[in-house]
Amino acid sequence: MTFGTLPQTNEVLAMQPSEKYLFKHKGNYFQPDLVTAEYIDSLEDFEIRDSDVFLVTYPKSGTIWSQNILSLIHHEGHRDGTEDTDLLDRVPFLEYNIRNMDFDKRPSPRLFSSHLPYYLVPKGLRNGRAKIIYVARNPKDVMISFYHFSKCAVKFEEVEDFGVFMERFLSGKVLDSLWLDHIEGWCAHRGDFNILFLTYEEMKKDLGSAVLKICNFLGKRLSEEELADVVEKAGFDKMKMDRRTNYTTLSTDILDFSKGTFLRKGTVGDWKNTMTVAQSERFDSVFKERMDKLPFKFCWDINDEL
Ligand code: A3P
């Protein structure tokens, strides 16, 4: 900044996040305590099997929910309650290998989660055989969920003032960078991958149809009874009560559960409870033009038509 020129208020609010909390590598922000730039680079050559299934999301878009659905579809022992395996072991994050798993030794079909932008995923995913499910959520609800999550994520910078957090979100100075870049990148390059797009809102409105869509994409045939079981066990209240499906097994070095929970509200339109009209308008002024070009109809309220 040169002397005599005052920065825009919004620029000040969105100031660079401290390197203690986030580091930027190849255009994307990562959490320094969980991953290194070298590990991210090594993923380019990570060996992909044709049977692999990747769940890709921008943070706070329904990752844990979709992880649970994938696990329930694939594992009878999860459905009937005979297996006591945590979601983080069933559908581990590729880039955040917090349990130090040997991914090469995992039996097929391997299920993975990832928040990576399209250009940082293993190149083997581009042969179009392994499957990717991308779940998107309306970005106002994503931002509110992110804001609350920042309070219980121990290694996140706690930004108390929501206005400041919003400017960070709008300028992509948060974990996994700009929501628009993430979703635009995956949409624009969908032809390079074998990918199914779903939205959090369609899952919320009709979970049964969303589960069926996922099963069809994965080539998994479940009986009516099994499908009903998946839908029942993927319900918000069920997941919140089940320690295998709510991340409460995560180390308290990562999440402080006295400050919040992973399954918080699980609704569509919660942004209206926090954002002022002026904040919502500011959000639209930054996001709307690019969002209008996305191949999704976003739903901002639970009563909106999809
Ligand atoms: P809220 O904070 O708005 O409640 P992610 O797993 O990508 O971090 O996303 C977390 C968000 O998904 C949280 O949103 C959480 O409550 C919501 N969520 C998790 N499981 C859900 C479920 N079964 N039904 C609806 N929402 C769910």
Side-chain angles (χ1 to χ4, degrees):
M1 195 198 324
T2 48
F3 183 73
T5 55
L6 279 175
Q8 293 293 303
T9 315
N10 295 331
E11 281 172 27
V12 175
L13 291 176
M15 292 246 222
Q16 214 64 17
S18 152
E19 279 176 18
K20 182 176 156 206
Y21 299 105
L22 290 174
F23 75 95
K24 201 167 207 174
H25 181 59
K26 296 187 170 159
N28 196 60
Y29 277 119
F30 293 97
Q31 226 179 305
D33 56 308
L34 295 182
V35 73
T36 62
E38 293 71 36
Y39 181 70
I40 295 296
D41 286 345
S42 75
L43 293 176
E44 188 182 357
D45 295 316
F46 179 77
E47 207 166 312
I48 296 293
R49 299 180 197 157
D50 291 355
S51 55
D52 286 343
V53 177
F54 279 76
L55 166 68
V56 177
T57 49
Y58 183 84
K60 313 319 294 171
S61 301
T63 320
I64 192 170
W65 191 10
S66 314
Q67 283 175 315
N68 193 34
I69 292 168
L70 284 182
S71 172
L72 285 163
I73 289 173
H74 275 272
H75 295 278
E76 193 180 345
H78 185 172
R79 280 199 302 277
D80 65 18
T82 54
E83 285 172 12
D84 186 19
T85 308
D86 195 278
L87 277 187
L88 289 160
D89 298 310
R90 282 266 199 243
V91 199
F93 273 89
L94 179 69
E95 67 271 28
Y96 298 118
N97 188 359
I98 49 177
R99 300 266 164 92
N100 284 321
M101 284 176 136
D102 185 346
F103 292 147
D104 292 337
K105 294 219 170 82
R106 290 181 67 215
S108 297
R110 298 180 300 183
L111 305 174
F112 289 104
S113 298
S114 177
H115 290 322
L116 286 173
Y118 79 94
Y119 59 88
L120 290 179
V121 295
K123 60 178 184 290
L125 274 172
R126 288 169 192 264
N127 71 13
R129 289 197 285 271
K131 296 186 170 75
I132 299 175
I133 298 172
Y134 187 101
V135 178
R137 185 182 191 187
N138 92 57
K140 287 182 183 169
D141 280 335
V142 167
M143 177 177 67
I144 299 300
S145 182
F146 219 143
Y147 171 64
H148 289 288
F149 181 66
S150 302
K151 296 177 186 169
C152 61
V154 176
K155 299 284 167 58
F156 277 24
E157 181 175 1
E158 192 174 337
V159 181
E160 197 52 56
D161 183 324
F162 173 68
V164 175
F165 187 85
M166 183 169 103
E167 291 307 323
R168 291 263 177 100
F169 185 84
L170 291 178
S171 58
K173 287 172 182 155
V174 289
L175 182 70
D176 289 299
S177 301
L178 187 66
W179 180 90
L180 280 167
D181 288 342
H182 197 275
I183 193 163
E184 270 179 6
W186 275 102
C187 285
H189 292 266
R190 72 217 293 172
D192 300 342
F193 303 99
N194 184 5
I195 189 165
L196 170 74
F197 286 95
L198 283 175
T199 63
Y200 177 99
E201 292 77 17
E202 72 174 289
M203 286 161 61
K204 192 75 200 168
K205 285 196 171 237
D206 184 353
L207 188 55
S209 298
V211 169
L212 207 54
K213 235 188 219 183
I214 296 173
C215 286
N216 290 339
F217 177 65
L218 298 177
K220 293 285 289 181
R221 223 169 249 140
L222 297 187
S223 67
E224 292 276 317
E225 205 177 303
E226 288 168 332
L227 281 172
D229 228 13
V230 174
V231 171
E232 199 232 344
K233 294 199 166 80
F236 184 82
D237 294 334
K238 274 266 157 41
M239 284 181 63
K240 204 171 162 72
M241 299 299 293
D242 185 344
R243 67 183 175 79
R244 297 169 307 171
T245 60
N246 57 25
Y247 283 9
T248 45
T249 57
L250 260 180
S251 145
T252 47
D253 293 347
I254 298 180
L255 286 185
D256 178 349
F257 295 101
S258 68
K259 295 192 173 162
T261 52
F262 220 89
L263 280 92
R264 194 184 56 94
K265 283 201 177 169
T267 56
V268 178
D270 185 44
W271 59 274
K272 293 178 190 170
N273 296 318
T274 301
M275 292 174 82
T276 62
V277 171
Q279 284 170 333
S280 176
E281 283 171 2
R282 156 115 184 102
F283 189 104
D284 294 342
S285 73
V286 180
F287 265 40
K288 191 170 181 311
E289 198 180 326
R290 285 173 68 182
M291 279 193 73
D292 284 348
K293 297 193 184 106
L294 291 170
F296 294 104
K297 185 178 177 303
F298 280 95
C299 178
W300 304 96
D301 185 281
I302 194 69
N303 297 314
D304 286 353
E305 290 275 316
L306 264 181

XYZ file of all heavy atoms in Angstrom, residues 201-262:
492
model
N -28.719 -29.894 -1.623
C -30.135 -29.553 -1.529
C -31.010 -30.661 -2.123
O -32.071 -30.964 -1.588
C -30.408 -28.209 -2.219
C -29.792 -27.006 -1.500
C -28.291 -26.834 -1.716
O -27.743 -27.427 -2.661
O -27.658 -26.108 -0.932
N -30.569 -31.287 -3.207
C -31.393 -32.374 -3.750
C -31.361 -33.571 -2.814
O -32.360 -34.277 -2.677
C -30.995 -32.743 -5.204
C -29.691 -33.475 -5.374
C -29.460 -33.932 -6.836
O -30.158 -34.852 -7.298
O -28.573 -33.364 -7.476
N -30.231 -33.767 -2.136
C -30.175 -34.853 -1.146
C -31.142 -34.560 -0.004
O -31.818 -35.445 0.519
C -28.746 -35.006 -0.613
C -27.802 -35.653 -1.616
S -26.060 -35.377 -1.258
C -25.844 -36.117 0.343
N -31.172 -33.315 0.380
C -32.019 -32.914 1.506
C -33.502 -33.060 1.141
O -34.310 -33.491 1.957
C -31.684 -31.458 1.829
C -32.226 -30.933 3.104
C -31.482 -31.437 4.317
C -32.369 -31.273 5.537
N -31.880 -31.956 6.700
N -33.828 -32.738 -0.100
C -35.249 -32.771 -0.506
C -35.746 -34.180 -0.778
O -36.900 -34.492 -0.536
C -35.453 -31.914 -1.744
C -35.411 -30.440 -1.372
C -35.972 -29.569 -2.468
C -36.104 -28.157 -1.972
N -37.435 -27.629 -2.063
N -34.880 -35.016 -1.318
C -35.320 -36.369 -1.651
C -34.104 -37.304 -1.592
O -33.478 -37.609 -2.609
C -35.941 -36.358 -3.060
C -36.521 -37.720 -3.429
O -36.328 -38.685 -2.662
O -37.152 -37.818 -4.499
N -33.803 -37.721 -0.372
C -32.596 -38.526 -0.166
C -32.679 -39.863 -0.896
O -31.694 -40.347 -1.450
C -32.338 -38.730 1.340
C -31.032 -39.392 1.716
C -29.831 -38.648 1.129
C -30.874 -39.482 3.234
N -33.890 -40.435 -0.924
C -34.065 -41.740 -1.586
C -33.647 -41.673 -3.052
O -32.908 -42.542 -3.540
N -34.097 -40.626 -3.759
C -33.745 -40.499 -5.182
C -32.247 -40.256 -5.341
O -31.628 -40.766 -6.284
C -34.499 -39.332 -5.818
O -35.858 -39.580 -5.742
N -31.666 -39.467 -4.428
C -30.222 -39.195 -4.525
C -29.416 -40.484 -4.302
O -28.456 -40.766 -5.023
C -29.819 -38.125 -3.512
N -29.852 -41.288 -3.347
C -29.146 -42.554 -3.067
C -29.246 -43.484 -4.286
O -28.270 -44.124 -4.688
C -29.699 -43.237 -1.785
C -29.172 -44.658 -1.637
C -29.351 -42.420 -0.551
N -30.423 -43.510 -4.878
C -30.629 -44.342 -6.069
C -29.729 -43.877 -7.218
O -29.131 -44.688 -7.931
C -32.102 -44.255 -6.480
C -32.677 -45.449 -7.224
C -32.455 -46.743 -6.455
C -34.181 -45.228 -7.447
N -29.627 -42.559 -7.379
C -28.760 -41.991 -8.417
C -27.314 -42.444 -8.189
O -26.610 -42.829 -9.128
C -28.804 -40.460 -8.306
C -29.187 -39.737 -9.562
C -29.002 -38.240 -9.346
C -30.101 -37.465 -9.995
N -29.948 -36.023 -9.876
N -26.892 -42.389 -6.935
C -25.520 -42.796 -6.612
C -25.335 -44.285 -6.913
O -24.356 -44.697 -7.532
C -25.181 -42.483 -5.123
C -25.217 -40.972 -4.881
C -23.825 -43.059 -4.729
C -25.072 -40.550 -3.424
N -26.317 -45.091 -6.493
C -26.227 -46.541 -6.737
C -26.138 -46.817 -8.236
O -25.316 -47.634 -8.675
C -27.432 -47.273 -6.169
S -27.400 -47.388 -4.393
N -26.965 -46.162 -9.021
C -26.943 -46.381 -10.474
C -25.590 -46.009 -11.056
O -25.040 -46.715 -11.893
C -28.049 -45.592 -11.165
C -29.418 -46.164 -10.847
O -29.532 -47.333 -10.452
N -30.454 -45.361 -10.972
N -25.061 -44.885 -10.599
C -23.758 -44.437 -11.101
C -22.668 -45.443 -10.728
O -21.765 -45.734 -11.525
C -23.450 -43.054 -10.508
C -22.107 -42.492 -10.872
C -21.811 -42.166 -12.195
C -21.132 -42.274 -9.906
C -20.563 -41.632 -12.538
C -19.892 -41.746 -10.237
C -19.614 -41.427 -11.560
N -22.759 -45.995 -9.536
C -21.724 -46.932 -9.066
C -21.965 -48.354 -9.564
O -21.131 -49.235 -9.348
C -21.674 -46.949 -7.531
C -21.319 -45.623 -6.844
C -21.389 -45.780 -5.328
C -19.920 -45.165 -7.263
N -23.115 -48.568 -10.178
C -23.447 -49.925 -10.629
C -23.734 -50.852 -9.465
O -23.504 -52.058 -9.537
N -24.263 -50.290 -8.372
C -24.598 -51.107 -7.196
C -26.102 -51.329 -7.164
O -26.884 -50.381 -7.258
C -24.211 -50.378 -5.894
C -22.742 -50.203 -5.680
C -22.014 -51.446 -5.261
C -22.316 -51.901 -3.864
N -21.551 -53.125 -3.517
N -26.472 -52.608 -7.056
C -27.906 -52.888 -7.015
C -28.306 -53.269 -5.587
O -27.872 -54.286 -5.068
C -28.198 -54.046 -7.974
C -29.421 -53.742 -8.736
C -29.746 -54.608 -9.886
N -29.597 -53.892 -11.129
C -29.081 -54.391 -12.215
N -28.625 -55.608 -12.225
N -29.006 -53.665 -13.304
N -29.093 -52.431 -4.960
C -29.550 -52.742 -3.599
C -31.048 -53.030 -3.636
O -31.773 -52.472 -4.466
C -29.309 -51.560 -2.653
C -27.868 -51.099 -2.402
C -27.834 -50.029 -1.302
C -26.955 -52.248 -2.000
N -31.472 -53.908 -2.727
C -32.920 -54.200 -2.660
C -33.640 -52.978 -2.082
O -33.014 -52.092 -1.492
C -33.158 -55.412 -1.754
O -32.813 -55.052 -0.421
N -34.959 -52.991 -2.223
C -35.777 -51.892 -1.665
C -35.470 -51.715 -0.180
O -35.335 -50.605 0.324
C -37.279 -52.242 -1.798
C -37.790 -52.261 -3.223
C -38.169 -50.867 -3.702
O -38.793 -50.148 -2.926
O -37.805 -50.517 -4.843
N -35.369 -52.862 0.473
C -35.144 -52.839 1.925
C -33.776 -52.237 2.265
O -33.638 -51.422 3.180
C -35.194 -54.285 2.417
C -35.573 -54.451 3.854
C -35.652 -55.932 4.179
O -36.436 -56.649 3.506
O -34.878 -56.363 5.047
N -32.769 -52.622 1.466
C -31.416 -52.101 1.707
C -31.363 -50.593 1.434
O -30.739 -49.839 2.178
C -30.400 -52.834 0.821
C -30.147 -54.255 1.276
C -29.384 -55.079 0.240
O -29.493 -54.795 -0.971
O -28.689 -56.027 0.661
N -32.056 -50.174 0.369
C -32.100 -48.736 0.060
C -32.743 -47.961 1.205
O -32.250 -46.904 1.623
C -32.894 -48.491 -1.230
C -32.151 -48.766 -2.538
C -33.114 -48.680 -3.722
C -31.019 -47.761 -2.730
N -33.816 -48.511 1.707
C -34.517 -47.838 2.807
C -33.600 -47.750 4.034
O -33.604 -46.761 4.771
C -35.798 -48.602 3.148
N -32.804 -48.770 4.219
C -31.863 -48.803 5.339
C -30.799 -47.701 5.203
O -30.442 -47.042 6.176
C -31.149 -50.165 5.304
C -31.145 -50.805 6.662
O -31.884 -50.329 7.528
O -30.372 -51.778 6.836
N -30.307 -47.533 3.957
C -29.296 -46.492 3.705
C -29.900 -45.127 4.030
O -29.306 -44.326 4.759
C -28.816 -46.517 2.221
C -27.888 -45.337 1.938
C -28.133 -47.839 1.887
N -31.101 -44.889 3.512
C -31.749 -43.585 3.714
C -31.975 -43.337 5.211
O -31.688 -42.252 5.728
C -33.088 -43.518 2.927
C -33.876 -42.267 3.285
C -32.809 -43.565 1.426
N -32.417 -44.376 5.893
C -32.700 -44.206 7.319
C -31.419 -43.872 8.093
O -31.373 -42.939 8.893
C -33.338 -45.495 7.847
C -34.086 -45.313 9.134
C -33.653 -46.305 10.209
O -33.006 -47.320 9.886
O -33.955 -46.059 11.357
N -30.348 -44.607 7.788
C -29.102 -44.439 8.558
C -28.295 -43.204 8.124
O -27.328 -42.841 8.781
C -28.262 -45.706 8.460
C -28.946 -46.879 9.144
C -27.988 -47.997 9.457
C -28.588 -48.996 10.416
N -29.494 -49.952 9.807
N -28.708 -42.601 7.004
C -28.021 -41.375 6.576
C -28.787 -40.134 7.031
O -28.422 -39.012 6.675
C -27.861 -41.356 5.052
N -29.816 -40.334 7.826
C -30.589 -39.194 8.347
C -29.747 -38.407 9.346
O -28.896 -38.968 10.047
N -29.982 -37.113 9.395
C -29.186 -36.215 10.243
C -29.175 -36.674 11.706
O -28.109 -36.798 12.328
C -29.759 -34.792 10.124
C -28.978 -33.760 10.872
C -27.837 -33.189 10.339
C -29.399 -33.343 12.138
C -27.115 -32.226 11.035
C -28.691 -32.381 12.834
C -27.550 -31.822 12.286
N -30.361 -36.956 12.258
C -30.429 -37.308 13.685
C -29.723 -38.627 13.972
O -29.048 -38.775 14.991
C -31.886 -37.377 14.150
C -32.538 -36.003 14.101
O -31.787 -35.003 14.204
O -33.765 -35.923 13.920
N -29.870 -39.583 13.049
C -29.205 -40.886 13.231
C -27.689 -40.684 13.240
O -26.968 -41.222 14.086
C -29.576 -41.840 12.079
C -30.865 -42.582 12.320
C -30.555 -43.942 12.957
C -31.679 -44.573 13.731
N -33.004 -44.540 13.258
N -27.205 -39.902 12.285
C -25.753 -39.699 12.170
C -25.195 -38.950 13.375
O -24.101 -39.218 13.843
C -25.425 -38.938 10.880
C -25.512 -39.785 9.636
S -25.089 -38.874 8.149
C -23.377 -38.419 8.430
N -25.962 -38.022 13.845
C -25.492 -37.204 14.969
C -25.298 -38.055 16.233
O -24.410 -37.790 17.040
C -26.518 -36.093 15.228
C -25.924 -34.878 15.916
C -26.935 -33.747 15.947
C -26.579 -32.712 16.979
N -25.443 -31.886 16.658
N -26.115 -39.096 16.352
C -26.052 -39.942 17.545
C -25.000 -41.044 17.450
O -24.689 -41.679 18.440
C -27.419 -40.634 17.754
C -28.588 -39.709 17.982
S -28.360 -38.717 19.450
C -28.455 -40.002 20.698
N -24.534 -41.313 16.232
C -23.664 -42.473 16.017
C -22.205 -42.019 15.931
O -21.822 -41.342 14.985
C -24.101 -43.152 14.698
C -23.344 -44.431 14.428
O -22.290 -44.650 15.068
O -23.797 -45.199 13.564
N -21.397 -42.419 16.901
C -20.026 -41.894 16.939
C -19.194 -42.330 15.725
O -18.192 -41.720 15.408
C -19.318 -42.289 18.246
C -19.061 -43.742 18.361
C -18.428 -44.201 19.644
N -18.381 -45.657 19.582
C -17.482 -46.320 18.910
N -16.507 -45.706 18.293
N -17.527 -47.638 18.849
N -19.660 -43.370 15.009
C -18.922 -43.786 13.804
C -19.148 -42.803 12.660
O -18.405 -42.768 11.699
C -19.399 -45.175 13.326
C -19.149 -46.296 14.289
C -19.883 -47.536 13.828
N -21.303 -47.266 13.582
C -22.147 -48.109 13.009
N -21.719 -49.275 12.582
N -23.409 -47.797 12.844
N -20.233 -42.026 12.760
C -20.615 -41.191 11.616
C -20.675 -39.695 11.942
O -21.324 -38.935 11.234
C -21.998 -41.626 11.064
O -22.967 -41.477 12.101
C -21.993 -43.048 10.562
N -20.028 -39.283 13.034
C -20.076 -37.836 13.326
C -18.699 -37.241 13.650
O -18.631 -36.113 14.149
C -21.094 -37.528 14.436
C -20.786 -38.298 15.713
O -19.644 -38.672 15.953
N -21.790 -38.519 16.532
N -17.651 -37.998 13.345
C -16.258 -37.535 13.517
C -15.856 -37.299 14.976
O -14.812 -36.701 15.221
C -15.995 -36.232 12.746
C -15.804 -36.338 11.252
C -16.029 -37.505 10.545
C -15.380 -35.227 10.521
C -15.869 -37.557 9.167
C -15.209 -35.267 9.139
C -15.462 -36.439 8.464
O -15.293 -36.471 7.105
N -16.696 -37.732 15.929
C -16.300 -37.467 17.319
C -15.122 -38.346 17.738
O -14.555 -38.157 18.811
C -17.487 -37.664 18.302
O -18.173 -38.876 17.958
C -18.433 -36.492 18.280
N -14.727 -39.293 16.880
C -13.541 -40.101 17.184
C -12.263 -39.349 16.785
O -11.166 -39.810 17.064
C -13.576 -41.452 16.427
O -13.680 -41.169 15.030
C -14.735 -42.318 16.871
N -12.432 -38.196 16.125
C -11.257 -37.410 15.745
C -10.550 -36.890 16.986
O -11.191 -36.563 17.990
C -11.687 -36.195 14.923
C -11.555 -36.267 13.415
C -12.045 -34.971 12.793
C -10.125 -36.518 12.975
N -9.235 -36.783 16.880
C -8.458 -36.314 18.015
C -8.887 -34.898 18.411
O -9.219 -34.067 17.552
C -6.982 -36.342 17.593
O -6.296 -35.296 18.170
N -8.826 -34.639 19.713
C -9.214 -33.304 20.183
C -8.156 -32.261 19.804
O -8.366 -31.067 19.993
C -9.433 -33.297 21.712
O -8.312 -33.969 22.304
C -10.711 -33.984 22.094
N -7.037 -32.729 19.227
C -6.062 -31.769 18.662
C -6.610 -31.172 17.370
O -6.123 -30.167 16.875
C -4.755 -32.469 18.251
C -4.005 -32.983 19.436
O -4.364 -32.580 20.545
O -3.073 -33.783 19.236
N -7.582 -31.879 16.784
C -8.134 -31.414 15.504
C -9.469 -30.697 15.708
O -9.694 -29.623 15.167
C -8.279 -32.598 14.511
C -6.891 -33.204 14.224
C -8.938 -32.154 13.207
C -6.893 -34.377 13.270
N -10.347 -31.325 16.497
C -11.660 -30.697 16.740
C -11.926 -30.543 18.234
O -11.717 -31.484 19.004
C -12.780 -31.540 16.123
C -12.954 -31.529 14.604
C -14.181 -32.323 14.210
C -13.057 -30.122 14.042
N -12.399 -29.382 18.619
C -12.770 -29.139 20.011
C -14.297 -29.195 20.098
O -14.991 -28.235 19.734
C -12.240 -27.754 20.443
C -12.640 -27.411 21.867
O -13.477 -28.134 22.443
O -12.126 -26.411 22.388
N -14.791 -30.338 20.572
C -16.241 -30.555 20.549
C -16.990 -29.731 21.593
O -18.212 -29.684 21.568
C -16.545 -32.053 20.697
C -16.041 -32.833 19.517
C -14.863 -33.557 19.594
C -16.720 -32.800 18.312
C -14.369 -34.241 18.498
C -16.238 -33.475 17.209
C -15.065 -34.194 17.302
N -16.238 -29.073 22.482
C -16.940 -28.201 23.432
C -17.383 -26.923 22.704
O -18.207 -26.163 23.188
C -16.040 -27.860 24.619
O -14.970 -27.045 24.183
N -16.801 -26.685 21.521
C -17.130 -25.451 20.794
C -18.093 -25.667 19.620
O -18.468 -24.723 18.937
C -15.844 -24.811 20.270
C -14.931 -24.332 21.382
C -13.842 -23.466 20.836
C -13.029 -22.858 21.960
N -11.740 -22.374 21.479
N -18.425 -26.891 19.357
C -19.359 -27.142 18.254
C -19.257 -28.577 17.783
O -18.383 -29.326 18.216
N -20.165 -28.944 16.898
C -20.165 -30.311 16.385
C -20.122 -30.288 14.861
O -20.443 -29.288 14.241
C -21.457 -31.061 16.802
O -22.562 -30.264 16.432
C -21.480 -31.359 18.272
N -19.702 -31.408 14.319
C -19.614 -31.500 12.860
C -20.994 -31.466 12.243
O -21.215 -30.829 11.221
C -18.886 -32.800 12.484
C -17.960 -32.578 11.346
C -16.648 -32.178 11.573
C -18.402 -32.728 10.055
C -15.805 -31.924 10.518
C -17.559 -32.482 8.992
C -16.252 -32.086 9.226
